[in-house]
Amino acid sequence: MKTLAIDIETYSDIDLLSCGVYRYAESDAFRVLLFAYSEDGGDVEVVDLARGEELPAHVAAALTDPGVTKTAFNAAFERVCLSRHLGIEGFLDPSQWDCTMVAAARMGLPLSLAQCGEVLGLDDKGEGKMKEGRALIKKFSCPNRKGGRTLPEDHPEDWETFRRYCKRDVEVEQAIRRRVARLQQPEWERELYALDQRINDRGVLVDEDFVRNADKLNREYLDYVLDEARRLTGLENPNSDAQMKRFILDHAGVQAASLNKKSIDDIEGSVGRHSVAYKALQLRKEFKKTSCKKYPAMLDCACRDGRIRGLLQYYGAARTGRWAGRLVQIHNLPQNHIKRIDDARTMAKAGDLDEFMTCYSNPTQVLSELIRTSFVAGEGKTFRVCDFSAIEARVTAWLSGEEWVLDVFRNEGDIYCETASKMFGVPVEKHGRNAELRQKGKIAALALGYGGGTAALDAMGGGKMGLSQPEMQGIVRMWRGANGHTVRLWEVLEKAARKAITENTQVTVNRGVTFRREFGCLTVQLPSGRRLCYPRAKVGPFTKRFGGEAREVDAIIYEGVNQTTKKWCEVETYGGKLTENIVQAMARDILGEIMFRADRKGMEIAFHVHDEIIVEADGRTTLEDVEAIFAYPPAWAEGLPLKGAGYSTPYYLKD
């Protein structure tokens, strides 16, 4: 046997979606019910563990045999659950596993087995995922209304369908695997997946006492604010949209179409800062805040040893292959700006609302800023946190050949000052001459690298800075004039993509980036050797909106998941977007190299966020050791100036 394809059905009294597979499988109630497998692509067999059958000895042995590659769709689920089922201390070795979901994601396909099969046409052939699965999982894999298990003998016909469903999932996984196997990726990609799984297996410790008391403070404070809103408005339920809209209309004469945060911000300007309606809206914003919901989420996910595992989804971001956050969503943690954060954290951990409100006028904001500090280093250890400085700007300049930008980074200059100086033609110093221009240079550098215009500037905060539309147009024009090579890159990448698609040819451009049309996709080979995929790419008419007007344009079109509707559909791309994808993908590969370096030096990565790694270190690993692995580029990025800066902390925060 060389490969063993697996799908399992399980039972647990823990909710899988909200708590994650590690917590799910840790429950005393956890059971593996069915084990379906295929040896080397052969017929699928089903072992009914729930009814007393046992795994064949050679199959059980294969689960720990390094000579047998285990495959599954979302292999982390099978690997973690089977680790528990087998009674293994720790977890099965991820280097022996190959995830078909990840392989599909590399081809730009959905992360859902059902949706992936549908996109590949398996449903049309009667080979797709069985539709009955969701109801059967609810019946046999989740607690029933009485809180116990529904057993096979309770519904024997449904159980037989459940067996067929489990078998079909292996067949679907194998059919998908045959199709995605055409995309060959470098060996280091497989090794990075294994490292990612080891990081998820290790997890990160949370201060459960702090989290529990912070959550308690938040709930008590929100109850207090809701009571204040009742007293102020006289409403039975100020949480009701309908009641609050009527109150605003009656007391301020303003008809509110919506009461989301943006709408409230707009309405407040119309009701008068000293009106009762204004005060009611302020209170509503307080008790509607959701950022502190991460506290109970942490408690739900924490395993018995206090560590949260499975925070990161490998290849979770379509196209670029970047990681996506799971469970607690560490990629969107609120920033901390509290000056005396130790004091605030100690007070929150004490859990006394009266004392907390005495010291802080906005408790929910303070608790929100303390969320990061829930993650703590283990006893006798500390976090060494290090991230890249302006990694996307560096990669963009290296890829485009924008030498003046590279020189700024090589000389450790201030890129925002130098950008402003180039744009406005005067010296700009952070705390000196023309310092007021630095912010304009900063917003331009952050917003405009991927072909964006005034809308991109506004989204980055241009309007809040007080910039008018003509001023923003001027900034766009000046930035593009100062960054001619970057502007040229957008055009080069779009022309290369169009040519590869329409002429079915290979086109190599800057730094060896290569476009091809192969197996129905537009592929882009990066300098690292990894390839990005745009499924079913073509050039043709595409309808898009310009303001309120729909217009047909000649565009590069591919198929992907719409991030708003989550449905598979046609998507447009263009030079600026291709630049963004390629730059972010290269930044991801650079972070992967940093993770390899850390691992080779025995550093234990607790988790990572965007372009930052958090090492849980003992006294043998210094901050300088961690910063050193950020200081030079991978072999494939010769001449790219990199720099990492870090800090040490007993708990996670944004320094």
Side-chain angles (χ1 to χ4, degrees):
M1 189 195 313
K2 296 297 182 184
T3 63
L4 181 67
I6 303 168
D7 184 77
I8 60 174
E9 303 302 334
T10 57
Y11 172 86
S12 178
D13 56 356
I14 301 297
D15 182 69
L16 177 63
L17 291 180
S18 60
C19 301
V21 65
Y22 293 90
R23 177 75 183 87
Y24 174 89
E26 190 182 57
S27 169
D28 291 335
F30 171 78
R31 300 286 185 276
V32 177
L33 307 176
L34 297 171
F35 183 105
Y37 68 94
S38 166
E39 300 178 39
D40 295 328
D43 291 341
V44 179
E45 304 291 338
V46 180
V47 181
D48 196 334
L49 297 169
R51 292 201 292 193
E53 295 180 6
E54 296 183 358
L55 292 180
H58 73 288
V59 173
L63 293 174
T64 55
D65 184 348
V68 178
T69 298
K70 278 68 70 174
T71 75
F73 199 92
N74 188 17
F77 178 80
E78 272 73 15
R79 186 177 63 83
V80 172
C81 289
L82 290 172
S83 298
R84 174 70 198 281
H85 175 75
L86 296 171
I88 290 173
E89 185 176 350
F91 301 97
L92 288 165
D93 183 357
S95 67
Q96 298 178 19
W97 289 73
D98 204 358
C99 182
T100 302
M101 181 181 76
V102 168
R106 291 185 183 123
M107 285 196 74
L109 296 169
L111 297 178
S112 153
L113 179 65
Q115 195 175 23
C116 190
E118 182 181 349
V119 168
L120 291 175
L122 300 184
D123 287 5
D124 299 337
K125 302 175 183 177
E127 298 173 352
K129 190 175 176 73
M130 288 171 56
K131 307 300 183 186
E132 302 93 330
R134 181 171 296 183
L136 293 169
I137 287 171
K138 187 174 181 180
K139 178 173 286 187
F140 293 113
S141 295
C142 304
N144 56 32
R145 292 180 180 178
K146 296 181 180 180
R149 272 182 60 196
T150 299
L151 301 174
E153 52 267 30
D154 296 333
H155 297 276
E157 290 185 6
D158 286 344
W159 184 259
E160 288 306 311
T161 305
F162 200 33
R163 285 170 53 97
R164 292 197 300 275
Y165 168 75
C166 186
K167 178 182 179 182
R168 174 69 67 82
D169 273 5
V170 176
E171 294 168 345
V172 174
E173 182 264 341
Q174 288 287 278
I176 293 171
R177 188 170 187 80
R178 286 191 292 272
R179 287 161 173 77
V180 300
R182 295 173 293 175
L183 178 67
Q184 296 297 313
Q185 292 284 14
E187 179 59 26
W188 63 261
E189 257 292 297
R190 181 180 171 85
E191 294 168 0
L192 188 58
Y193 170 75
L195 175 55
D196 162 83
Q197 294 294 285
R198 293 198 301 273
I199 291 170
N200 273 317
D201 288 351
R202 180 183 301 126
V204 59
L205 187 66
V206 291
D207 184 340
E208 291 184 277
D209 286 342
F210 167 75
V211 172
R212 199 170 287 110
N213 280 306
D215 180 46
K216 169 179 166 288
L217 280 181
N218 183 60
R219 286 184 284 106
E220 290 176 351
Y221 179 68
L222 293 183
D223 287 343
Y224 165 81
V225 173
L226 195 57
D227 284 342
E228 285 289 296
R230 287 193 187 99
R231 282 193 289 271
L232 177 71
T233 63
L235 296 176
E236 181 182 345
N237 180 16
N239 205 16
S240 162
D241 281 10
Q243 290 183 35
M244 185 60 79
K245 285 178 182 179
R246 169 59 61 182
F247 181 84
I248 299 302
L249 181 62
D250 291 346
H251 289 77
V254 175
Q255 182 75 56
S258 171
L259 287 176
N260 60 30
K261 184 179 183 301
K262 185 180 184 309
S263 297
I264 289 178
D265 289 343
D266 294 339
I267 294 168
E268 283 175 343
S270 306
V271 301
R273 293 185 63 86
H274 301 293
S275 68
V276 67
Y278 181 86
K279 293 175 183 176
L281 290 170
Q282 289 291 300
L283 289 170
R284 183 182 172 87
K285 281 202 296 190
E286 278 293 289
F287 63 71
K288 280 291 190 178
K289 282 183 178 176
T290 59
S291 58
C292 291
K293 287 185 177 180
K294 290 186 186 292
Y295 286 122
M298 289 178 184
L299 295 173
D300 288 343
C301 300
C303 294
R304 289 172 182 164
D305 61 359
R307 300 183 83 88
I308 297 179
R309 297 177 169 86
L311 286 172
L312 294 157
Q313 173 65 62
Y314 189 79
Y315 233 98
R319 228 68 50 217
T320 65
R322 282 185 153 189
W323 284 263
R326 293 292 182 262
L327 304 176
V328 182
Q329 292 296 344
I330 55 176
H331 286 170
N332 65 358
L333 296 174
Q335 291 193 1
N336 51 270
H337 302 286
I338 308 166
K339 290 183 178 178
R340 300 178 64 178
I341 196 166
D342 276 329
D343 292 346
R345 192 177 187 281
T346 299
M347 195 171 294
K349 193 168 182 175
D352 187 319
L353 180 60
D354 290 337
E355 184 181 7
F356 202 71
M357 288 177 64
T358 300
C359 295
Y360 301 103
S361 61
N362 193 341
T364 51
Q365 181 60 37
V366 175
L367 290 171
S368 175
E369 292 189 30
L370 289 173
I371 288 171
R372 289 173 185 259
T373 72
S374 303
F375 298 113
V376 296
E379 187 176 354
K381 295 185 177 182
T382 191
F383 284 149
R384 313 289 189 203
V385 184
C386 191
D387 71 346
F388 281 114
S389 168
I391 182 64
E392 290 186 34
R394 292 169 187 260
V395 172
T396 301
W398 182 79
L399 185 61
S400 67
E402 203 71 75
E403 283 298 324
W404 75 264
V405 175
L406 295 175
D407 286 341
V408 171
F409 288 126
R410 288 175 185 132
N411 297 323
E412 299 191 8
D414 185 315
I415 187 59
Y416 304 137
C417 285
E418 293 299 328
T419 297
S421 180
K422 280 275 185 182
M423 287 168 58
F424 296 100
V426 295
V428 177
E429 298 169 355
K430 188 172 183 178
H431 301 294
R433 291 177 296 174
N434 303 304
E436 72 281 0
L437 297 177
R438 182 180 185 272
Q439 190 62 25
K440 293 181 179 179
K442 179 176 181 178
I443 194 173
L446 293 174
L448 303 179
Y450 301 135
T454 56
L457 277 178
D458 197 39
M460 192 61 71
K464 292 179 180 178
M465 281 175 57
L467 297 175
S468 66
Q469 194 68 15
E471 284 178 306
M472 286 194 279
Q473 289 170 348
I475 287 173
V476 171
R477 186 174 60 254
M478 287 186 286
W479 185 89
R480 290 184 178 181
N483 292 271
H485 287 83
T486 302
V487 174
R488 171 68 178 156
L489 177 66
W490 309 334
E491 181 183 350
V492 166
L493 295 180
E494 179 161 342
K495 282 185 175 179
R498 284 175 175 268
K499 185 174 182 179
I501 294 168
T502 58
E503 299 182 17
N504 196 25
T505 188
Q506 175 176 307
V507 185
T508 300
V509 293
N510 304 37
R511 304 291 186 180
V513 171
T514 301
F515 292 80
R516 299 184 185 90
R517 183 176 178 83
E518 48 190 342
F519 34 81
C521 298
L522 170 68
T523 66
V524 185
Q525 183 163 320
L526 305 175
S528 64
R530 183 165 69 98
R531 279 184 282 180
L532 311 183
C533 280
Y534 297 79
R536 298 170 184 163
K538 62 183 179 181
V539 174
F542 184 80
T543 302
K544 60 188 300 185
R545 302 196 73 82
F546 296 87
E549 181 187 356
R551 254 186 266 162
E552 195 173 83
V553 297
D554 180 60
I556 301 171
I557 308 164
Y558 65 95
E559 292 185 15
V561 176
N562 182 292
Q563 295 305 302
T564 302
T565 65
K566 304 302 178 185
K567 293 182 178 179
W568 187 262
C569 61
E570 287 192 336
V571 182
E572 179 206 12
T573 193
Y574 48 90
K577 193 66 177 177
L578 288 166
T579 303
E580 181 180 31
N581 286 172
I582 291 167
V583 167
Q584 290 186 351
M586 289 168 62
R588 175 266 195 194
D589 291 352
I590 293 168
L591 181 67
E593 172 62 23
I594 300 305
M595 291 163 61
F596 280 137
R597 292 174 187 172
D599 189 58
R600 286 193 292 266
K601 290 184 176 293
M603 299 178 187
E604 294 188 344
I605 300 174
F607 60 105
H608 51 91
V609 181
H610 300 304
D611 302 306
E612 171 185 81
I613 66 169
I614 298 89
V615 173
E616 190 174 14
D618 56 23
R620 292 172 294 180
T621 299
T622 66
L623 178 59
E624 289 73 21
D625 293 334
V626 180
E627 288 179 331
I629 64 175
F630 280 75
Y632 57 98
W636 52 263
E638 184 179 355
L640 171 61
L642 293 179
K643 182 183 180 182
Y647 53 94
S648 298
T649 176
Y651 46 73
Y652 184 51
L653 48 77
K654 198 69 178 175
D655 190 38

